[in-house]
Amino acid sequence: MDVTIRAMREADAPDLFEIYNQPAFRFGTLALPYESFEAVKKWAEPRSPRDLHLAAEANDRVVGAAALRPFYGRRAHAAEFWIAVHEDFAGNGIGSRLLAAVIDTADNWINIQRIEMTVFTDNTRAIALYEKFGFVIEGTHRAATFRNGRFADVHCMARLHPPAWP
């Protein structure tokens, strides 16, 4: 499959809306069902000029997306990120390509030393992807969120650059 990683465009919003409303995406994130198109579009917009928003495009369609959102002030060396891949294209390396682009930008362009996120403890595919790129579990938040009528735990994961932090 020929996939191009590029900057996100406003015209990508309908494809992002489709991904955002897929059950697998909602199950693996804090997204709620029945989000409006406007809410999803706003969620996908950069919040600052330092944000990086990427799209994975195949056959003139967005099949995945990612964002890197650096923090400010005393946390300016750190950032959070998100990744989404269309259910029909999962398992084709799109998440890996998006995460590689996010990390390359963080390490080589904007001097981010720490990338962090939380992930549901039962999301083994995502955890394996993150570990492949050097993320480690730093802790677990018990009953961190409510999902499918039950409380769910999340792992806090982070990647430090350079890996041999003092």
Side-chain angles (χ1 to χ4, degrees), residues 103-111 161:
I103 289 171
D104 175 63
T105 302
D107 290 354
N108 300 309
W109 294 93
I110 56 176
N111 196 27
H161 175 78

Side-chain angles (χ1 to χ4, degrees), residues 69-72 75-80 112-116:
R69 293 184 167 148
F71 299 123
Y72 293 91
R75 297 212 66 219
H77 67 289
E80 63 183 350
I112 296 295
Q113 300 297 306
R114 176 185 171 84
I115 305 172
E116 61 188 50

